[in-house]
Amino acid sequence: MAPPKSRETRCMYCGERKEGLEIREDYVIYALRWLKRNVTRNERGYRIVVCRDDYQKHAKARKRFEGRQKVYLALGLIFAITVILAGKNIVAVFYAIAVLIFIYLFSLLTYVPALSIAPGKGAVK
């Protein structure tokens, strides 16, 4: 079942009906829409945007998310390599992969979606 297509836009920060830069529909947004459609049964199908007033807030939050995600993945990779070298068996590899996935999912707690238009290419100044 396809999500209901609404032409109504909502800013993801202020929640008002405004025009702005649309966010990119990635796997996290898709999963949230799937949950709203199939579990809670109240998907509204809004086009999610970032309005001109909230663009700076979004840019700062997105930059912070990307930085934290890189740090989490680096720490997870270091931990995974340490577990593999210390364990030296196949079970250690599975534990390392599980920990790496867990740390990546932990980084999604501060998730901020990207915009569908790249900064610097027509973005709001």
Side-chain angles (χ1 to χ4, degrees):
M1 174 194 276
K5 295 294 181 189
S6 172
R7 298 308 306 160
E8 186 175 341
T9 61
R10 292 281 181 153
C11 176
M12 69 180 276
Y13 290 96
C14 61
E16 301 202 14
R17 295 177 184 164
K18 292 184 177 180
E19 289 297 318
L21 298 173
E22 195 165 351
I23 64 162
R24 182 176 298 142
E25 296 280 330
D26 58 3
Y27 63 94
V28 176
I29 300 297
Y30 178 79
L32 291 173
R33 287 188 188 272
W34 183 88
L35 283 171
K36 298 260 308 167
R37 181 173 54 249
N38 295 315
V39 176
T40 63
R41 304 255 188 233
N42 74 349
E43 181 189 27
R44 301 215 172 95
Y46 294 135
R47 285 182 31 233
I48 305 169
V49 298
V50 176
C51 68
R52 181 179 296 268
D53 299 334
D54 294 324
Y55 177 75
Q56 292 298 332
K57 184 188 309 184
H58 176 77
K60 187 186 301 184
R62 177 68 186 181
K63 186 175 180 180
R64 186 174 54 241
F65 164 69
E66 288 173 346
R68 286 182 180 174
Q69 189 174 34
K70 289 174 187 172
V71 168
Y72 286 142
L73 287 177
L75 290 173
L77 192 58
I78 290 169
F79 185 77
I81 290 170
T82 305
V83 167
I84 290 171
L85 293 176
K88 295 183 181 175
N89 60 23
I90 193 71
V91 175
V93 173
F94 290 121
Y95 282 134
I97 291 171
V99 167
L100 195 59
I101 291 171
F102 177 73
I103 289 177
Y104 176 73
L105 292 175
F106 191 68
S107 75
L108 293 179
L109 290 175
T110 59
Y111 175 74
V112 176
L115 297 176
S116 60
I117 184 169
K121 297 187 179 190
V124 179
K125 294 182 180 177

